[in-house]
Amino acid sequence: MSPAQRCALALWSVLLTGIVCLGFLPFSRTASVLLMLVLWGGIAVVWRLGKRRDAPPTTLRLENLPDAAYRQPVVLVCGDLLRVWPEEASVLTVTQGCWIRVEPHEEVEHVARQLLWLRPDWGRQLSVMVTVCPQQHADTEPLTRDLLALRWQISRLRRDTGYSIPLVLNALAGSAMMPDLLWQAALPGGAVCVWRESAAPCSVNAWVTTGGAMAMQQQVLMNNLRSWFAQNVTSVLMDENPDMPRVLPVAVLWGGGPSLEGALPASLWTTWLQRQTALRDVAGWLPLVREIANIPALPDFVLPLLPEGQGLTPRQRAWRCGLTIFTCAALVALCCSGWNNRQLVQRVSFDIARYDRISMDDYTPKAHAVQVLREDASQLDRWARNGEPLNLSLGLYQGERLRMPVLNAVRSYVPPPPPKPEPKRVPKIVRLDSMSLFDSGKAELKPGSTKMLVNSLVGIKARPGWLIVVAGHTDNTGNPQLNQTLSLKRAEAVRNWMRDTGDVPESCFAVQGYGESRPLATNDTPEGRTLNRRVEISLVPQAEACQIPDNPSTSSQDDGVSKNEME
């Protein structure tokens, strides 16, 4: 894939990772963010490794190289050539495939590895064609050494890359007896065929029969070329050798033409012909010296027989990777959504079960449980109106079927009865019999009245904010005006005793004399008149009353009053 495609896949992965981590994972926000950052770091590392792999390790110059989506056969041509390379560039693309020249100073394994580095998807369609021309070699040993090195390189290349790397053997010879370029090929699953540029392929017998004496002479040369090639080339690549595996060709070609670059007057080819025919010179053995144009130097007809590229193009592979990443992210999101919905069902079901287990008479726990259910109902209702959240979506949302059970549980709640109002606390009133405290018509306390006052006034204590009201009352005997004055003086006498005995400030008291105006009973009977002759002492709440500064006993007295007066 190209760097742009790798970058697009990295961004796509980053986007999907962020959506899944922040939108679907059943973790806390902090944990989801940390996991997202870790995954982003892994994506960055993979992207950087892929970016380093994109740069070729060497400066191999292959101009006009097809793009990575090219799927026709690609053949590395090494060895000898019948003529000069047709193009100035090393790459020659024709209709049926692509030829790439391997210079004599280059190794086919090195070029193949660089090509696979540049085009990693070309492994299935890559082939090697070895061209050997006996007229360009004067000695057998260098040729054998080069063939063994080529055999070792192809074997190692097949082993390291895992691709078959088909091998095509091509024998070339130039002869003046061949005015046109002629090929004979031994292809897999068939007999030897004759291939000519101007005619359809045919068998050797048909070609000799229709060609006459010229075809017969050319066939003699081709037979000798085949014999020499089998003994000096094919055997070197295919014989048993414990040090390296055999390299079997998928096709063997024998070609001849009128011209040849670099032909030697004394070569392996002439030596072979002399040994086979015992003739030192035969007309037409050597190629023509002059250049003959429009004669192709490469057997294009063999290209359709070689394997083509399979699989996806880099763009298709990038789309497949993107789809795979999306599928993985979708599966993770579906699993997380299912888990989140499961947790939702368990939580709401637990809240309903907990509410049902609590008795309706257990008011406080029941109220708390119904409050939890109200929060659940509010959340479910909000999701029903505004749409479920992302982490519960993808068609797995279970909240809708939980709404009615929650609402039914909330409707079944019976609130506790209102609390009974507390009775109004009325301050205690102490009533003292005037005849027990005073002599008739007098306002001075009797000498023995102190004990009765102490026993009767235990619940009356001075406290802040309360006023001690001392009120005197008489019966209707006598002058009303005198009775009014007598009742007031008797109240003052009791007030003075309380003030002096309890060390209570005078501001805490209010003294009132009602005379005969507020009887408790009828004055027509002696018993009623006895009840009406009285002194009443009570506490009345009044703001800012009875302020006793710097008196530590005030609070304790206050507490005692508050407890005793309400009894």
Side-chain angles (χ1 to χ4, degrees):
M1 289 182 284
S2 65
Q5 292 170 342
R6 292 182 186 276
C7 184
L9 286 178
L11 294 177
W12 179 242
S13 302
V14 167
L15 175 62
L16 293 180
T17 302
I19 293 175
V20 171
C21 290
L22 299 180
F24 290 94
L25 289 184
F27 304 142
S28 64
R29 178 65 63 178
T30 302
S32 299
V33 171
L34 291 177
L35 180 59
M36 180 185 67
L37 294 178
V38 170
L39 294 177
W40 282 0
I43 293 172
V45 171
V46 173
W47 181 76
R48 288 180 65 88
L49 291 177
K51 186 178 180 181
R52 291 179 181 178
R53 241 188 358 253
D54 288 336
T58 60
T59 57
L60 177 64
R61 298 186 62 185
L62 296 176
E63 293 83 0
N64 302 324
L65 191 67
D67 58 18
Y70 189 74
R71 286 294 175 264
Q72 290 182 303
V74 178
V75 184
L76 298 178
V77 181
C78 58
D80 309 322
L81 293 179
L82 181 63
R83 298 173 57 234
V84 295
W85 190 259
E87 299 288 341
E88 294 183 359
S90 300
V91 180
L92 175 62
T93 303
V94 295
T95 305
Q96 298 87 352
C98 178
W99 303 96
I100 300 177
R101 180 180 61 185
V102 179
E103 300 294 342
H105 63 277
E106 297 176 337
E107 294 183 354
V108 64
E109 179 186 6
H110 181 67
V111 175
R113 291 183 184 276
Q114 295 183 60
L115 183 63
L116 291 178
W117 188 284
L118 295 173
R119 299 290 187 268
D121 302 320
W122 281 9
R124 296 179 181 272
Q125 66 203 73
L126 186 63
S127 304
V128 175
M129 186 177 75
V130 180
T131 302
V132 180
C133 178
Q135 293 170 317
Q136 296 183 358
H137 298 275
D139 193 357
T140 306
E141 291 185 3
L143 177 62
T144 302
R145 184 172 58 251
D146 294 341
L147 292 175
L148 289 175
L150 182 64
R151 175 178 174 177
W152 171 254
Q153 293 176 30
I154 294 177
S155 301
R156 188 166 55 183
L157 187 62
R158 290 177 176 177
R159 180 196 63 194
D160 295 344
T161 61
Y163 297 113
S164 60
I165 312 293
L167 175 64
V168 178
L169 297 180
N170 182 23
L172 293 177
S175 174
M177 293 185 299
M178 294 184 177
D180 298 321
L181 189 63
L182 175 69
W183 299 94
Q184 294 186 4
L187 304 177
V192 177
C193 297
V194 178
W195 294 78
R196 290 174 294 176
E197 183 181 11
S198 58
C202 62
S203 63
V204 174
N205 292 333
W207 173 67
V208 172
T209 301
T210 57
M214 178 63 70
M216 183 68 70
Q217 293 176 2
Q218 294 175 356
Q219 186 59 39
V220 170
L221 286 175
M222 296 301 293
N223 290 338
N224 281 278
L225 181 60
R226 290 167 59 181
S227 299
W228 179 88
F229 197 77
Q231 181 176 343
N232 295 277
V233 178
T234 307
S235 61
V236 176
L237 298 174
M238 300 176 59
D239 63 348
E240 296 293 339
N241 190 330
D243 296 330
M244 64 183 72
R246 301 169 62 189
V247 178
L248 302 179
V250 297
V252 181
L253 312 177
W254 303 277
S259 65
L260 183 66
E261 292 291 331
L264 302 176
S267 62
L268 295 177
W269 178 238
T270 56
T271 302
W272 172 265
L273 291 177
Q274 291 172 6
R275 187 183 304 121
Q276 297 295 320
T277 62
L279 298 175
R280 297 187 60 83
D281 189 13
V282 177
W285 283 5
L286 296 179
L288 298 177
V289 178
R290 62 186 178 88
E291 179 72 19
I292 299 178
N294 299 325
I295 297 181
L298 298 171
D300 293 343
F301 64 88
V302 79
L303 291 174
L305 306 176
L306 298 178
E308 296 182 351
Q310 300 178 2
L312 303 175
T313 64
R315 177 174 296 180
Q316 293 172 337
R317 183 174 289 105
W319 278 104
R320 185 181 66 178
C321 291
L323 181 61
T324 302
I325 295 172
F326 175 79
T327 302
C328 294
L331 290 176
V332 174
L334 280 173
C335 293
C336 293
S337 178
W339 176 265
N340 294 330
N341 279 278
R342 179 176 178 271
Q343 294 297 102
L344 174 65
V345 172
Q346 288 183 346
R347 177 174 61 83
V348 176
S349 300
F350 174 80
D351 293 341
I352 296 175
R354 176 174 173 269
Y355 170 81
D356 293 337
R357 285 196 305 268
I358 301 174
S359 173
M360 198 66 72
D361 298 334
D362 198 355
Y363 299 125
T364 302
K366 196 72 171 180
H368 177 71
V370 78
Q371 180 61 31
V372 173
L373 289 180
R374 288 193 179 102
E375 293 175 359
D376 293 340
S378 176
Q379 187 180 59
L380 295 175
D381 183 67
R382 184 169 62 253
W383 290 345
R385 288 184 284 104
N386 302 329
E388 66 271 12
L390 185 62
N391 62 339
L392 298 173
S393 58
L394 303 182
L396 302 178
Y397 179 61
Q398 299 295 321
E400 192 62 31
R401 67 182 184 89
L402 296 173
R403 290 183 63 200
M404 291 310 299
V406 173
L407 292 176
N408 292 334
V410 172
R411 292 191 187 103
S412 66
Y413 175 68
V414 178
K420 296 181 179 180
E422 296 183 359
K424 185 177 181 181
R425 297 180 179 181
V426 179
K428 183 179 179 180
I429 299 177
V430 178
R431 291 187 177 91
L432 302 177
D433 184 11
S434 296
M435 299 308 296
S436 299
L437 299 176
F438 304 98
D439 293 329
S440 179
K442 301 295 182 181
E444 291 82 12
L445 291 172
K446 291 181 178 181
S449 62
T450 301
K451 183 177 180 181
M452 186 182 66
L453 285 172
V454 171
N455 294 332
S456 302
L457 301 178
V458 171
I460 302 298
K461 300 290 183 180
R463 57 178 294 185
W466 290 81
L467 188 66
I468 302 174
V469 179
V470 182
H473 300 270
T474 64
D475 57 13
N476 62 352
T477 303
N479 189 334
Q481 186 64 33
L482 295 177
N483 288 338
Q484 173 72 26
T485 303
L486 181 62
S487 63
L488 179 60
K489 290 183 177 181
R490 287 179 175 178
E492 290 176 349
V494 173
R495 185 272 314 274
N496 294 337
W497 178 88
M498 292 180 63
R499 178 193 64 194
D500 299 337
T501 304
D503 194 18
V504 180
E506 191 169 345
S507 61
C508 294
F509 295 92
V511 179
Q512 296 174 341
Y514 293 104
E516 60 186 46
S517 62
R518 295 186 179 183
L520 287 178
T522 179
N523 287 309
D524 295 336
T525 63
E527 294 80 4
R529 289 192 294 272
T530 300
L531 292 175
N532 292 333
R533 293 191 296 266
R534 67 193 187 277
V535 176
E536 293 181 347
I537 304 172
S538 61
L539 293 177
V540 177
Q542 180 175 333
E544 304 298 331
C546 196
Q547 298 296 325
I548 308 176
D550 301 326
N551 191 350
S553 62
T554 302
S555 61
S556 62
Q557 293 178 353
D558 180 36
D559 295 340
V561 171
S562 62
K563 293 179 180 179
N564 294 321
E565 70 179 356
M566 299 302 173
E567 294 178 354

